[in-house]
Amino acid sequence: MMSPIRWRTAIRHFNVPKRQLLSSPQQVFFRQKHTFPRPTPPALNRRVSLQPPLHLQSRVPTKTLLTLLVLGGIAYYFIDVIEVLDDHWTHHVPRTEPTSMPVQFYQNREQVQHWLDAHVPDFVATAKNPELQDVARSVFASQIASGWMMTEEEAEEAQMPVTHGARVMSNSPCEDEFVISAAPGPGSEQWNFWGVFDGHAGRATSEWLQWTLVPHVSRDLSALQASSSPMAITNAIMQAFTRLDSDMMTRAKHAASWYPAASAVAISALNPALSGSCALLACFDPRASKLRVACVGDSRAVLGRWDSSTQSYTCIPLSVDQTGFNESEVRKLNEEHPDEPEIIDPKSGRLLGIAVTRAFGDHRWKWDNELIASIRAKFWGSHPRPGSKTPPYMTAEPVITETDIIRGRAEEGDEDTKPDFMIMASDGLWDKISSTDAVDLISRYITARTNGSIQPLPSFSSTSSPLTPRSHSPTTPYPGLTYNIAEDQPVGWRAEPQYFAIEDENAAVCLIKNALGGSRKGLFMGVLSVEAPRRRAVYDDTTVIVVFFNQVGDGKGKDGVKTGAKGGRWWKFWGGGEVGGSFGKGG
């Protein structure tokens, strides 16, 4: 395509006086006529050519020249117009949301009134519309919870169990991160990894863990022999955690000591140390069907295991929350700080104000007050924690559990053997649902999916259920809510079996939706209507990963029933082809 500058140059040449470019048609004809003799008339027995002689053919046909002139003039005009439009100042006005309207021009009173009557949204009237609830629930998986799911074909290609995931944010930006990985384990055999990182005081630490934790753990594991003992494997995981945190904190401390105040280099090194994050990492050896879960903080993993005696799934804890309500954590801190019994608040379970007793980062619980005060003054850090006397109070050393996983596919009619499944989630989920109820919900999800009965909740036209807002007045209280005005206790609720709704193909989305209201559509809409930053008091950032340990993705080429829509290789973010596949299509 010709550039605008070349277009203008060509057009200017076309617009100069014609005598500077070529002679007039009369001069050309006269010169040609008197310079060359007339051609000999053709003989009668020869074919007469209707084509003019070569010396009479124009090198630039008139029609072509006129066409170029017209096109050049049009292009010259429109190029200038396009440049003006692209560079118009209104195109540079920032919009915080796609629906934002920061630039408004009205020519008369009628236009102003039309805008007020027809274009300003009435959010109250919209919230009263029952159809909105169905719309919100239908787009929740893809647009709000960012749900994604893996098909069995994709799982087999990735050599890992089928995995579903979702994340809904409360903070802006979201402080939760997660990771799904296949990487070398002992003897360089492929292992599977899933991680949930619940950040606090910012997202710098959780984002840093997403990039670094699995590679560090894999590097240490792959240095072991395939025949290494369970203790050696556990120690390798533990050392990878503690060394990663120690190296990061040391690098941050060095930058704070050597670089001048307000240095971008120092601040970049300090960011993961000034923020903090829990870390929950599941490491699965598919050949041995052995699962190890390393926990730092209060993110939680549970296993659902089929009990043939009760014909139901039971809940097996894979981690224990590390808070001030954990007796072993309290005992450990009392032994390390015997003269400071007040560091843990028995009512809130907080350690010097923080909800967890172990975490990555969190410099105010690991460094002395003098260094913290220096960082606050030089690099806009936080105040030292009141009551901090003998740091460090926190560590990133994980507590690791080891579990043998039951895999395989039950034969038709065989109710004695069903594969395990695992739920991993940040505390945003566990604040609203118990571990046992979460396993019960996924058990119901599996049954509904097997029977093909996953569908949206029925409307008022087909049911008189008291749980649907259409069946009662909007002013009727929703069931299961608690609040106390006198004690300044805001609205709270729990996700319990009587309020479960199984209406999503994605198991992780199903868990989050039920945690935020379930079949109580009015509560669900109310929760989603709260804007940041107030919604942080309603629910926390929530990340959920559900892993189904069936006999898919173990390298044996087993065929399975498709569990989702076909798509691209969503787990290979760096690979070719269309990125996405089932990503963002969890509902």
Side-chain angles (χ1 to χ4, degrees):
M1 180 180 292
M2 186 177 291
S3 67
I5 296 177
R6 295 185 62 189
W7 265 111
R8 295 189 184 112
T9 303
I11 292 169
R12 291 192 186 100
H13 282 299
F14 282 128
N15 290 333
V16 300
K18 288 184 172 56
R19 65 176 178 271
Q20 296 182 16
L21 295 176
L22 71 165
S23 303
S24 66
Q26 292 82 2
Q27 291 172 327
V28 172
F29 180 78
F30 182 82
R31 183 170 63 247
Q32 299 289 355
K33 179 178 179 181
H34 291 83
T35 302
F36 299 95
R38 291 178 179 272
T40 304
L44 294 178
N45 60 347
R46 293 184 180 180
R47 296 180 61 185
V48 179
S49 174
L50 300 180
Q51 183 73 17
L54 183 62
H55 62 276
L56 293 181
Q57 296 181 26
S58 173
R59 295 304 178 99
V60 182
T62 303
K63 291 183 179 180
T64 302
L65 178 61
L66 292 175
T67 302
L68 288 175
L69 287 172
V70 172
L71 293 177
I74 293 173
Y76 183 80
Y77 172 77
F78 279 106
I79 286 172
D80 285 346
V81 172
I82 291 171
E83 287 179 352
V84 171
L85 290 177
D86 287 346
D87 198 43
H88 198 270
W89 67 271
T90 58
H91 289 197
H92 301 282
V93 176
R95 290 168 171 79
T96 55
E97 297 290 342
T99 55
S100 297
M101 294 293 293
V103 179
Q104 302 177 21
F105 287 88
Y106 310 103
Q107 294 180 347
N108 50 54
R109 189 171 185 273
E110 287 72 20
Q111 290 185 359
V112 173
Q113 190 61 46
H114 173 74
W115 173 265
L116 293 174
D117 294 340
H119 296 286
V120 176
D122 186 346
F123 295 107
V124 175
T126 303
K128 293 179 180 179
N129 184 356
E131 302 298 329
L132 175 67
Q133 299 170 3
D134 296 332
V135 172
R137 294 174 78 86
S138 66
V139 302
F140 179 79
S142 59
Q143 299 184 21
I144 302 176
S146 302
W148 49 265
M149 57 192 293
M150 181 190 296
T151 68
E152 290 195 356
E153 290 83 356
E154 291 169 336
E156 189 164 357
E157 184 175 356
Q159 296 301 295
M160 66 188 310
V162 171
T163 304
H164 295 186
R167 181 179 68 179
V168 63
M169 76 173 186
S170 171
N171 297 292
S172 184
C174 183
E175 296 177 347
D176 275 15
E177 292 292 352
F178 66 92
V179 68
I180 305 162
S181 178
S188 295
E189 298 286 348
Q190 254 341 62
W191 278 30
N192 305 134
F193 298 88
W194 302 269
V196 173
F197 312 120
D198 181 2
H200 45 262
R203 64 189 298 264
T205 315
S206 59
E207 185 179 42
W208 170 76
L209 285 172
Q210 183 188 61
W211 281 95
T212 59
L213 185 57
V214 169
H216 277 78
V217 171
S218 174
R219 184 182 62 185
D220 286 8
L221 287 176
S222 59
L224 301 176
Q225 299 295 324
S227 58
S228 296
S229 67
M231 181 61 70
I233 295 173
T234 297
N235 288 337
I237 298 172
M238 188 175 299
Q239 290 171 10
F241 271 63
T242 55
R243 183 168 57 250
L244 183 60
D245 184 64
S246 176
D247 291 348
M248 181 268 290
M249 300 297 285
T250 300
R251 182 171 61 252
K253 188 181 296 186
H254 174 82
S257 302
W258 284 94
Y259 286 92
S263 165
V265 176
I267 293 173
S268 298
L270 281 166
N271 282 337
L274 270 56
S275 297
S277 180
C278 303
L280 181 69
L281 185 68
C283 315
F284 181 59
D285 178 359
R287 290 187 176 273
S289 290
K290 195 172 291 291
L291 177 70
R292 294 173 175 86
V293 174
C295 178
V296 172
D298 60 357
S299 295
R300 189 185 308 168
V302 297
L303 191 74
R305 172 160 293 174
W306 182 254
D307 185 349
S308 59
S309 63
T310 61
Q311 293 294 293
S312 63
Y313 279 93
T314 60
C315 177
I316 300 176
L318 299 176
S319 66
V320 179
D321 300 352
Q322 295 161 359
T323 69
F325 296 123
N326 184 325
E327 294 182 1
S328 64
E329 291 294 292
V330 173
R331 185 165 52 252
K332 170 178 172 293
L333 285 166
N334 287 336
E335 292 173 356
E336 294 173 350
H337 307 275
D339 299 327
E340 301 175 76
E342 71 284 355
I343 58 176
I344 293 183
D345 182 350
K347 184 177 180 180
S348 65
R350 290 179 173 268
L351 168 63
L352 294 177
I354 195 169
V356 294
T357 54
R358 304 191 191 202
F360 283 84
D362 285 325
H363 73 299
R364 293 188 294 167
W365 286 264
K366 297 179 181 179
W367 292 348
D368 62 78
N369 292 340
E370 182 179 353
L371 177 59
I372 297 170
S374 172
I375 291 172
R376 170 173 171 75
K378 294 171 60 179
F379 305 107
W380 301 288
S382 303
H383 287 287
R385 292 304 306 171
S388 175
K389 299 176 182 178
T390 58
Y393 297 95
M394 300 179 71
T395 177
E397 181 178 274
V399 175
I400 302 175
T401 62
E402 182 178 308
T403 306
D404 291 321
I405 296 300
I406 296 176
R407 307 186 73 188
R409 187 185 306 279
E411 299 296 334
E412 186 175 355
D414 181 8
E415 295 296 330
D416 293 334
T417 304
K418 291 187 178 182
D420 295 338
F421 62 82
M422 175 178 63
I423 304 171
M424 301 175 64
S426 56
D427 67 329
L429 179 73
W430 308 117
D431 288 342
K432 302 301 182 184
I433 190 171
S434 69
S435 299
T436 300
D437 285 343
V439 169
D440 180 32
L441 178 59
I442 297 302
S443 173
R444 297 187 187 197
Y445 162 86
I446 293 173
T447 300
R449 187 152 192 171
T450 302
N451 298 335
S453 59
I454 295 180
Q455 56 186 351
L457 289 172
S459 63
F460 175 63
S461 60
S462 60
T463 183
S464 58
S465 169
L467 300 180
T468 57
R470 297 184 185 185
S471 63
H472 58 75
S473 167
T475 60
T476 302
Y478 301 117
L481 302 189
T482 61
Y483 65 92
N484 191 308
I485 299 175
E487 298 181 4
D488 193 27
Q489 177 186 342
V491 171
W493 72 94
R494 297 290 294 176
E496 298 174 335
Q498 63 267 33
Y499 307 122
F500 284 170
I502 313 297
E503 55 184 9
D504 295 280
E505 291 289 334
N506 185 318
V509 172
C510 184
L511 276 165
I512 295 179
K513 186 181 287 186
N514 279 276
L516 298 183
S519 60
R520 295 168 287 187
K521 291 185 178 181
L523 171 61
F524 178 78
M525 285 301 302
V527 169
L528 295 184
S529 299
V530 181
E531 295 283 348
R534 290 188 299 116
R535 66 175 170 230
R536 179 60 185 85
V538 182
Y539 64 92
D540 195 2
D541 294 332
T542 303
T543 301
V544 178
I545 294 176
V546 182
V547 181
F548 297 95
F549 290 107
N550 48 26
Q551 202 63 269
V552 175
D554 60 355
K556 298 180 181 179
K558 294 286 185 181
D559 294 329
V561 179
K562 182 179 175 183
T563 61
K566 285 186 177 181
R569 297 175 178 85
W570 63 266
W571 64 90
K572 297 181 180 177
F573 298 103
W574 59 89
E578 181 181 355
V579 177
S582 298
F583 197 89
K585 300 178 181 178

